[in-house]
Amino acid sequence: MGNAFRNQPAPALYPDNKTPVAEDVLEVGLLFAFSLIAFSFVLIIPGIRGMERLWATLRVFTAMFIGCVILVSNFGYCWYCGSICTRTQYKAYISPAGSRQEIEARIGLYIGLRGTNITLREQSCGFEDNYINEKPFPNEEIDYNEQILWADPWGQGRLGFGRYAGRYNREFRALQFRGAPYPILWIAEYFTLDGELIRWGRKFRTAGWYTHILLWTAFATYLIAILLYIFNIQQGAKFTVITGCLMILSVFAYGVIIINDPPLELPFQDAALNRSTSNATTSNATTSNATTTLPSTVLKPSFGWSWWLTLWTGVGTFFLGIFILVLDKFWPSTAAAIFHHSIIEDDLSFFEEDSEEPAPEEYRTAPRIQRGQGGTTRGRTRRGLKPHDTVRPWPEIKAPSEEVIELQEVPTAKEEQAPQ
């Protein structure tokens, strides 16, 4: 059995381990789920009549957008990101400066709430002419995307890379044993340090912890707001305002916690290109080789689209809730039409029903039925008012007068045929 999967004398053959290195599966799944709900609603739009079609479309798509932003930003990896195109060492071992072991590539750092995502993709950066046709590793496709997490568990752990160290340090050591490219290890190592003024790993981990808690709370209030809009517009608007405040608080908490001195800046010095130039340097006519060094590049990340999207969506959600509160306070009929509610009104049609008789005097002079603090009431149609909903008791029904009605006897058929 020892040679079952081995082609003698070659080493064992293993199948390709195809992984989604270009996209985040969880983010794609969340986007697909919300897109599926939105598409399902699009199919039923033709069945909605009148202006209710417009209001229903606005309600559904606004709710889907806010929920999608909260979840995608919570699991996204673009809260703090940046990339540079530079010339760098590829293998983990030291290679001479300007040797053919160095590559031109775009290096990206994408920091999320639960970890980092480091990418390395080979491409021409303009340091050498005709680099694409003269790659140092022509038989290898250099396209890496390594994800290193510090969440679950979120603890900092002990110093070092042992079993009691934090998750990020242990995953970094696993990358070293696996032989990850040098630029990826170079960036990841900065987040394993936790001393003096270099505490970037601790800062971003703490910021991710508090931010993801605030976003989960915002998602809970978002769901409560959707349920409350079915029954009470005013209370639903209040929870919409709370949702916006939590989203704004989450981005500000993230921006404040990650503040560190010095800021996160990762240097990548471009390789010195050994371009031999014959120059006379001394009076004895000897020549020396002058080395031309290109300027160094520094990776300086900044706030990414996840941070900005959460911020502006939170601001929009906050003002949306304020707008709905004002609309329901001063124009309740318009708010009721938008959210498909019916307002209880003081109208004779509540009591007349289909009868031609006028309503009793008590109901004509009855005061207007006041709405509660909750604003409009859903499902209370004009024909749906019950006796116990009124402010006055129903009038007593008088017993019918006892009048004796004399019936004239009608002769039957047999009596008519009887002989006289």
Side-chain angles (χ1 to χ4, degrees), residues 72-306:
V72 172
S73 298
N74 196 346
F75 293 96
Y77 279 85
C78 284
W79 281 80
Y80 206 71
C81 56
S83 63
I84 57 171
C85 190
T86 183
R87 184 180 179 90
T88 180
Q89 181 179 325
Y90 175 53
K91 299 295 184 179
Y93 53 81
I94 302 299
S95 60
S99 67
R100 295 300 298 170
Q101 298 297 323
E102 295 184 345
I103 62 172
E104 294 183 13
R106 176 163 292 278
I107 305 170
L109 171 62
Y110 304 92
I111 304 175
L113 303 182
R114 292 166 175 79
T116 61
N117 205 18
I118 307 173
T119 61
L120 175 67
R121 175 174 295 181
E122 185 179 19
Q123 69 178 53
S124 176
C125 298
F127 296 114
E128 289 187 8
D129 299 334
N130 200 21
Y131 174 82
I132 298 298
N133 298 327
E134 298 179 358
K135 295 182 180 180
F137 302 94
N139 298 326
E140 184 175 355
E141 182 180 358
I142 302 176
D143 190 359
Y144 289 86
N145 190 340
E146 297 292 342
Q147 184 185 70
I148 312 175
L149 302 177
W150 52 57
D152 301 325
W154 289 81
Q156 179 68 25
R158 299 181 182 177
L159 294 175
F161 306 94
R163 57 184 299 184
Y164 298 109
R167 180 176 180 178
Y168 197 93
N169 290 31
R170 288 185 277 112
E171 291 194 2
F172 170 75
R173 180 51 57 91
L175 285 178
Q176 288 181 319
F177 278 104
R178 195 172 44 166
Y182 180 75
I184 295 179
L185 297 177
W186 172 267
I187 294 177
E189 188 176 7
Y190 280 95
F191 294 91
T192 62
L193 305 176
D194 189 53
E196 300 298 333
L197 298 177
I198 303 178
R199 296 182 180 269
W200 295 321
R202 179 186 291 269
K203 293 280 188 178
F204 281 99
R205 179 187 57 81
T206 307
W209 162 258
Y210 287 105
T211 304
H212 103 281
I213 290 296
L214 290 172
L215 286 179
W216 276 124
T217 308
F219 186 72
T221 57
Y222 155 79
L223 295 178
I224 295 175
I226 292 179
L227 294 178
L228 288 178
Y229 275 125
I230 301 176
F231 309 102
N232 195 302
I233 296 178
Q234 193 176 71
Q235 299 301 325
K238 291 179 181 178
F239 271 85
T240 302
V241 173
I242 295 175
T243 302
C245 291
L246 288 171
M247 296 177 68
I248 297 173
L249 182 60
S250 67
V251 296
F252 275 102
Y254 188 87
V256 171
I257 295 176
I258 66 173
I259 294 177
N260 190 83
D261 189 19
L264 179 60
E265 295 181 357
L266 308 178
F268 279 88
Q269 184 175 2
D270 297 319
L273 302 180
N274 294 327
R275 297 173 180 174
S276 299
T277 57
S278 300
N279 298 322
T281 57
T282 59
S283 59
N284 54 5
T286 58
T287 60
S288 63
N289 294 332
T291 302
T292 303
T293 305
L294 296 178
S296 61
T297 54
V298 179
L299 176 58
K300 298 180 180 180
S302 58
F303 291 112
W305 63 264
S306 295

Side-chain angles (χ1 to χ4, degrees), residues 383-397:
R383 296 291 184 179
L385 188 66
K386 297 181 180 179
H388 58 76
D389 291 329
T390 60
V391 295
R392 292 178 178 270
W394 287 81
E396 296 182 0
I397 301 176

Side-chain angles (χ1 to χ4, degrees), residues 9-57:
L13 298 178
Y14 299 97
D16 295 336
N17 184 19
K18 297 182 179 181
T19 56
V21 298
E23 300 295 339
D24 191 344
V25 178
L26 185 57
E27 288 186 12
V28 174
L30 292 173
L31 292 174
F32 177 77
F34 280 96
S35 300
L36 186 62
I37 297 175
F39 178 75
S40 301
F41 177 76
V42 170
L43 296 179
I44 66 174
I45 285 180
I48 305 176
R49 299 180 178 180
M51 287 297 296
E52 176 61 21
R53 178 184 303 175
L54 174 62
W55 303 135
T57 303

Side-chain angles (χ1 to χ4, degrees), residues 401-418:
S401 60
E402 299 179 358
E403 298 180 357
V404 180
I405 302 176
E406 296 182 359
L407 301 177
Q408 184 179 1
E409 295 183 359
V410 179
T412 60
K414 292 183 179 181
E415 293 177 352
E416 293 178 355
Q417 297 179 1

